[in-house]
Amino acid sequence: MYRSDLKNWPIFTFLDPAFLSKIHMTIVYGTLGGEALIVTKDNMVYAIGSNDHGCLGTGDTLSYIEPRKVEALCDKEIRTIAYGRGPHVLALTGAGEVYSWGHNNYSELGNCTAVVEDSVPKQIKMDLSNKFVVDIACGSYHSLALTREGEVYAWGGNNFGQVNSNVGVNLNTPKKVNSALTLKIVSISCGQAMNMVITNDGEVYGWGQNNFGQLGIGNYVNQGSPCKVTSLIGVTIEKIACGCTHVLALSNKGNLYVWGANNSGQLGLDTGSKSDAWRPVQLVVEEVNRVADIATMHFSHISVALVEGNRIYVWGSCLSQSVLVPTLTTLNYLHDAFALYATPKVTYKPIVFYDDEEEVSFEDCFREAFDDSTTSDFVVNVQQKSIFVHKAILRIRSEYFRTMFQNKWADDDQCAMDQYQFSYNVYKAFLKYLYTDEIDLPEENVFELLELANSFNENQLKKRCTRIMKKAITIENSASIYSMAVEYDAKELEEYCFKFMLNHITAVMQSENFAKLSENMMKTFKLKAAHTGALKT
């Protein structure tokens, strides 16, 4: 994926492009997809979102629309992040340490504390202090950690035996999963309240909730200890992914196996009755010879597969509709399916960006093309300075330029704009706006840009300038902004400014800028204010 693709998740909508360009890794989580963690290229960690149960790790429960630094995780070389439904969050560092924070009603933080939530990331030390952890996974209210030695540790909610054979007793500190796992484990995955793991020879074990057959062991009995999926004997599984109550497994030959719940068609078997499967069933995706990758997540019923030819198929619960068979999409990445089809719009695992793979986005191409003399086919001259542009872009974006290129400048490769008496900086900001839809200009020059927009009949730009000026209004400058709004016939800004002045009438009338108003302007304002009853005579 590329950083520009993050716009598919609503939570990234308001992030500054300059900040987006610094992102190395990010993950979106929460019951509404309302939280995100971001690791930047310089090893800093930031959070944005609604912060339920302190799950942003910022030391409070305040919501943040702008990135807020997570001090406890900065400079820790975060390798991966996992989240639960509460949500509780885990982060794995380059030193093999695990940090946890957020919801803790089921002891899912694993830090031997009885608090119901913790908004500050803390290292989990009990039984993991001398272990180097290489992977982490979260179910809805429990967690797993995989060590370098291939051992699995579990903690948190235990209503189905997902962390311990003593069903119903939550674990508030990590404990090694019992001796049934005698082989080295190389991969872990959590469903809502169950776990699946892969051994180093490709065997599969599962334990925990099994009321939909999601353990694949041929019955519906919950298991407090790991049980081998015997139906897969002779098949080497390389990757496993747990949904809420179903499982996808990918073999070394590119064959896809599914089992568990099928209430939303998440098994892709199109059985008509949406019946569950308590043993693995091979799923054939149309005429595909080999499946390359799979994805799902612990609190949804969507299934996604990448097949040969880089084609993406989805099935299960997509936009709250049941898709009963694998359906080809136009998506480019597995992550796209969760941004566009899943509920909530989260990421099934962290998205990692590598600069040597970075693609220049559509927006970046236009930004780079502005004022580029090597690709320009038209030059705008202002105050003896040149701005290099492209006729096609100006025709598409501006009615003024479209008209001029059809008539006065039809055969020209440059024009002079000094006749309108706007400054070079304002002209350049206007032209850049046509390329980027951004206003790159100090607040004190925005009124001149507003006048230009008015002269060129650029209504959308007028609205943008008006919004900027609204935010800039103060007691000291309100009179001068009001005067200019009247002069430029900016009715919306005039009315907004007038109401602001009424709300601060005494202070405004004592301000220096109010005294500078023309006699006629001051008289008009006082009459209008008196009419509202703001001035008592």
Side-chain angles (χ1 to χ4, degrees), residues 158 160-165 167 193-195 206-210 215 217 219-227:
N158 194 41
F160 296 100
Q162 60 265 43
V163 300
N164 190 283
S165 58
V167 177
M194 44 80 72
N195 312 297
W207 69 101
Q209 185 182 21
N210 194 36
L215 297 185
I217 58 177
N219 61 48
Y220 294 107
V221 180
N222 300 330
Q223 302 293 327
S225 299
C227 296

Side-chain angles (χ1 to χ4, degrees), residues 380-386 416-419 421-427 448:
V380 176
N381 296 306
V382 184
Q383 297 174 346
Q384 299 182 334
K385 295 180 182 179
S386 297
M417 300 290 284
D418 293 311
Q419 69 271 27
Q421 297 182 339
F422 297 116
S423 67
Y424 165 80
N425 288 337
V426 167
Y427 268 121
E448 188 182 351

Side-chain angles (χ1 to χ4, degrees), residues 62 127 136 148 214 222 254 297 339 348 386 404 429 503 507:
L62 301 176
D127 289 327
I136 51 177
R148 186 159 48 192
Q214 58 263 52
N222 300 330
M297 58 184 179
Y348 73 99
S386 297
M404 296 300 284
N503 290 334

Side-chain angles (χ1 to χ4, degrees), residues 386-456:
S386 297
I387 306 170
F388 298 91
V389 292
H390 304 77
K391 288 184 178 180
I393 294 176
L394 269 54
R395 281 194 185 102
I396 293 170
R397 291 280 286 158
S398 171
E399 178 64 33
Y400 170 81
F401 281 108
R402 185 157 51 249
T403 301
M404 296 300 284
F405 286 136
Q406 288 173 348
N407 300 299
K408 186 176 180 181
W409 302 334
D411 299 318
D412 296 342
D413 58 7
Q414 60 180 304
C415 71
M417 300 290 284
D418 293 311
Q419 69 271 27
Y420 291 102
Q421 297 182 339
F422 297 116
S423 67
Y424 165 80
N425 288 337
V426 167
Y427 268 121
K428 187 171 183 180
F430 168 57
L431 293 169
K432 187 174 182 179
Y433 162 79
L434 298 180
Y435 278 73
T436 66
D437 207 34
E438 300 168 359
I439 296 177
D440 184 14
L441 201 64
E443 286 181 357
E444 58 266 24
N445 297 122
V446 172
F447 247 115
E448 188 182 351
L449 182 61
L450 176 61
E451 184 182 5
L452 183 151
N454 192 54
S455 298
F456 287 9

Side-chain angles (χ1 to χ4, degrees), residues 231-527:
S231 296
L232 290 175
I233 290 177
V235 177
T236 301
I237 297 299
E238 288 190 338
K239 183 169 185 176
I240 202 157
C242 293
C244 180
T245 50
H246 78 289
V247 179
L248 309 177
L250 184 60
S251 79
N252 62 338
K253 295 183 179 180
N255 295 325
L256 175 58
Y257 296 85
V258 298
W259 62 91
N262 195 37
N263 55 302
S264 296
Q266 59 265 49
L267 299 187
L269 298 173
D270 192 19
T271 60
S273 63
K274 297 184 182 178
S275 56
D276 305 333
W278 65 4
R279 286 192 178 94
V281 179
Q282 185 174 348
L283 174 62
V284 178
V285 182
E286 291 187 339
E287 298 179 356
V288 172
N289 292 322
R290 188 178 185 89
V291 176
D293 203 357
I294 53 175
T296 182
M297 58 184 179
H298 68 78
F299 62 98
S300 80
H301 306 295
I302 190 173
S303 299
V304 190
L306 170 68
V307 307
E308 55 191 0
N310 290 318
R311 292 172 292 161
I312 303 290
Y313 284 78
V314 300
W315 63 99
S317 181
C318 300
L319 296 176
S320 300
Q321 301 296 314
S322 294
V323 178
L324 302 182
V325 296
T327 302
L328 182 62
T329 72
T330 58
L331 305 178
N332 295 315
Y333 308 99
L334 291 174
H335 278 292
D336 289 338
F338 296 89
L340 301 176
Y341 297 137
T343 303
K345 295 182 182 298
V346 296
T347 55
Y348 73 99
K349 69 175 184 178
I351 303 172
V352 181
F353 301 101
Y354 299 98
D355 283 341
D356 58 353
E357 298 178 0
E358 183 67 16
E359 180 183 82
V360 178
S361 69
F362 182 82
E363 294 88 347
D364 289 339
C365 285
F366 275 75
R367 187 174 283 104
E368 291 296 322
F370 174 66
D371 204 20
D372 181 0
S373 61
T374 63
T375 62
S376 166
D377 61 1
F378 195 75
V379 181
V380 176
N381 296 306
V382 184
Q383 297 174 346
Q384 299 182 334
K385 295 180 182 179
S386 297
I387 306 170
F388 298 91
V389 292
H390 304 77
K391 288 184 178 180
I393 294 176
L394 269 54
R395 281 194 185 102
I396 293 170
R397 291 280 286 158
S398 171
E399 178 64 33
Y400 170 81
F401 281 108
R402 185 157 51 249
T403 301
M404 296 300 284
F405 286 136
Q406 288 173 348
N407 300 299
K408 186 176 180 181
W409 302 334
D411 299 318
D412 296 342
D413 58 7
Q414 60 180 304
C415 71
M417 300 290 284
D418 293 311
Q419 69 271 27
Y420 291 102
Q421 297 182 339
F422 297 116
S423 67
Y424 165 80
N425 288 337
V426 167
Y427 268 121
K428 187 171 183 180
F430 168 57
L431 293 169
K432 187 174 182 179
Y433 162 79
L434 298 180
Y435 278 73
T436 66
D437 207 34
E438 300 168 359
I439 296 177
D440 184 14
L441 201 64
E443 286 181 357
E444 58 266 24
N445 297 122
V446 172
F447 247 115
E448 188 182 351
L449 182 61
L450 176 61
E451 184 182 5
L452 183 151
N454 192 54
S455 298
F456 287 9
N457 204 26
E458 295 285 346
N459 292 326
Q460 289 300 318
L461 181 56
K462 286 174 66 174
K463 292 179 181 178
R464 294 284 296 275
C465 291
T466 297
R467 286 199 293 268
I468 292 173
M469 295 309 299
K470 283 181 179 180
K471 293 180 180 179
I473 292 175
T474 65
I475 290 173
E476 287 301 319
N477 67 20
S478 59
S480 58
I481 292 178
Y482 174 74
S483 176
M484 287 186 283
V486 173
E487 180 182 350
Y488 297 143
D489 196 32
K491 297 295 186 182
E492 181 183 348
L493 182 59
E494 176 188 342
E495 188 61 26
Y496 184 90
C497 196
F498 178 74
K499 290 179 179 178
F500 177 92
M501 294 169 73
L502 285 185
N503 290 334
H504 306 84
I505 188 68
T506 302
V508 168
M509 293 183 68
Q510 293 174 350
S511 67
E512 182 179 342
N513 281 319
F514 187 83
K516 292 180 180 179
L517 290 177
S518 68
E519 182 178 347
N520 185 55
M521 182 73 68
M522 189 178 296
K523 181 180 179 180
T524 301
F525 172 80
K526 288 181 178 181
L527 286 173

Side-chain angles (χ1 to χ4, degrees), residues 35-52:
E35 286 92 11
L37 286 169
I38 297 166
V39 183
T40 55
K41 298 174 187 178
D42 59 357
N43 210 16
M44 295 291 103
V45 181
Y46 297 85
I48 54 174
S50 58
N51 207 7
D52 287 350

